[in-house]
Amino acid sequence: MNKTAAIRKFLGGPLAAAASFIAVTALLLLTIISSLSEVLSQRAEIAAATAMLDQLEGRRPAVARRGTAGVGEPSGSRFLEGATVTVAAATLLQRVTAAVVKQGGNVLSSQVDLQGTGAKAGFLSVMASCEIDQPGLQQLLYDVEAGMPFLFIDQLVVQAPLSFGASTESKLRVLLTVSGQWKGS
């Protein structure tokens, strides 16, 4: 019995302590590895969210940094600028034409309506016929409606080319009616 008691005492003492130490150390290592993997996954999510935010901010119009405009509110007047209705209409036409050209399109014809669409008092409208490629159309619509002054797309008619594969440049024909409010003098 002395031998078995001595073996039990030996196994219960240093061997049990060593096994407990190894188990606790393994548990701590697993906890550390789990925490590190969670931190790394959160960093990846933050990086993805930051990239998306940067992409969205790149499309947003310029934000006024001074006290008059609120956070996220574009700077400038909400109304078409111009001393006369003719100058305001020319400014509207220039903005629409610049947006089309910026997206690689061509303005084929344009027409200014000083009375406004739908007999809305104080609104001026421009009808422009243009050619633009398909990817540029969405950005064109965004460029026209984003920022100041507030402009509204009243009518959009898109005609696809007869065959997309026939030529290397198959542009869409777009009839676009844009209106904005003129404050007057």
Side-chain angles (χ1 to χ4, degrees):
M1 267 222 185
N2 279 344
K3 273 187 167 181
T4 56
I7 291 175
R8 281 187 188 162
K9 186 176 180 184
F10 178 75
L11 289 179
L15 192 57
S20 296
F21 177 76
I22 291 173
V24 168
T25 304
L27 183 63
L28 286 175
L29 284 175
L30 287 174
T31 304
I32 290 171
I33 291 171
S34 171
S35 297
L36 284 177
S37 69
E38 189 171 329
V39 167
L40 291 176
S41 70
Q42 286 178 351
R43 288 187 76 190
E45 288 176 14
I46 289 172
T50 302
M52 183 178 290
L53 180 62
D54 289 343
Q55 181 183 8
L56 292 174
E57 283 179 346
R59 292 184 180 172
R60 215 184 309 169
V63 176
R65 305 262 187 244
R66 296 187 199 109
T68 57
V71 174
E73 183 179 330
S75 63
S77 173
R78 293 184 168 124
F79 302 100
L80 292 170
E81 298 289 329
T84 65
V85 69
T86 309
V87 173
T91 303
L92 175 61
L93 180 60
Q94 184 179 20
R95 175 145 172 218
V96 170
T97 303
V100 170
V101 171
K102 179 182 172 186
Q103 297 306 319
N106 300 323
V107 176
L108 302 175
S109 67
S110 61
Q111 175 182 341
V112 177
D113 182 10
L114 300 179
Q115 300 301 317
T117 58
K120 295 178 187 175
F123 277 82
L124 307 175
S125 68
V126 169
M127 183 182 301
S129 174
C130 58
E131 287 183 331
I132 192 165
D133 59 354
Q134 189 172 3
L137 179 60
Q138 181 178 4
Q139 191 63 38
L140 167 68
L141 298 176
Y142 179 81
D143 286 348
V144 168
E145 287 192 329
M148 295 290 188
F150 289 142
L151 298 181
F152 307 98
I153 297 177
D154 296 326
Q155 181 182 15
L156 175 67
V157 178
V158 180
Q159 180 183 2
L162 296 176
S163 62
F164 273 105
S167 69
T168 58
E169 269 192 58
S170 53
K171 292 191 174 191
L172 302 171
R173 287 208 171 211
V174 178
L175 179 65
L176 183 69
T177 304
V178 179
S179 65
Q181 189 171 13
W182 178 57
K183 193 174 186 178
S185 57

